[in-house]
Amino acid sequence: MDQIKVGVVTASDRASAGIYDDISGVAIMDTLKEYLQNEIEFVYRCIPDEQSEIEKALKELAYDEECDLIVTTGGTGPAPRDVTPEATEAVCQKMMPGFGELMRQVSLQYVPTAILSRQTAGICNKSLIINLPGKPKSIRECLDAVFPAVPYCIDLIGGRYMVTDENVIKAFRPKGK
């Protein structure tokens, strides 16, 4: 079974300054450990809400670290410093809007403010980048919704083969894949 390489990027001025702990990045790693049977190497970054910093981190994780999956948290709202989707769009060769659409649809079942979220996803090099919200509960709800499609997407872009724990979450792959 292949080892999977996952980049985790927290975009937060306060967490990156040490004002509070990054519980969102930890929530992503904990969730992916539950989902996947593969050994996972996490490459973690906690950076300020600066578009240039986010773009730099995403490029390093996609090109230098060769991560299969890069998951961001934070910076997806309407506030002036929320620029994670812009950074994601700037580095990606292809956008995958269905991820954001599904995450907003699921989040609307819990909070009416989900319409303010600008989460997106895209392909950078051979990495799938997914923007997630900042709260651990919302992170789990969104990942539960989109993750069944993640392993096959990574197959299609040339990444390592992900094996999910089907007692936790079942990946969808067409028959014979």
Side-chain angles (χ1 to χ4, degrees):
M1 191 178 318
D2 291 338
Q3 180 185 42
I4 301 300
K5 200 166 193 181
V6 176
V8 176
V9 177
T10 298
S12 168
D13 291 331
R14 291 177 287 178
S16 67
I19 295 169
Y20 59 69
D21 291 336
D22 174 24
I23 59 172
S24 300
V26 172
I28 290 168
M29 291 184 269
D30 288 346
T31 300
L32 293 178
K33 286 179 202 171
E34 283 183 50
Y35 285 175
L36 293 169
Q37 292 185 333
N38 305 72
E39 185 179 325
I40 307 169
E41 177 185 347
F42 289 105
V43 185
Y44 171 76
R45 305 275 190 278
C46 185
I47 57 178
D49 284 304
E50 293 289 343
Q51 185 169 342
S52 61
E53 290 287 318
I54 299 167
E55 287 180 27
K56 180 181 173 199
L58 295 175
K59 287 179 190 174
E60 286 175 359
L61 294 171
Y63 291 98
D64 300 337
E65 296 289 343
E66 298 180 345
C67 291
D68 300 289
L69 174 64
I70 302 167
V71 188
T72 72
T73 179
T76 60
R81 294 201 42 87
D82 290 336
V83 293
T84 302
E86 287 79 8
T88 301
E89 290 175 16
V91 303
C92 286
Q93 292 81 40
K94 292 182 179 179
M95 296 308 298
M96 305 293 291
F99 283 87
E101 293 164 7
L102 180 57
M103 289 187 280
R104 278 183 289 282
Q105 181 183 11
V106 166
S107 294
L108 275 168
Q109 297 172 24
Y110 303 100
V111 293
T113 54
I115 61 171
L116 302 177
S117 174
R118 300 177 313 110
Q119 293 147 221
T120 192
I123 309 299
C124 177
N125 194 28
K126 290 186 176 182
S127 301
L128 171 62
I129 300 174
I130 303 173
N131 300 155
L132 294 172
K135 297 196 180 328
K137 182 178 182 291
S138 300
I139 287 168
R140 182 61 183 243
E141 291 163 357
C142 288
L143 278 175
D144 282 351
V146 301
F147 203 82
V150 169
Y152 186 54
C153 181
I154 290 173
D155 293 349
L156 291 171
I157 62 174
R160 294 173 199 88
Y161 194 83
M162 291 184 163
V163 179
T164 59
D165 179 345
E166 292 193 3
N167 294 313
V168 179
I169 199 156
K170 185 172 172 43
F172 175 82
R173 286 186 170 97
K175 288 187 173 32
K177 299 284 179 185

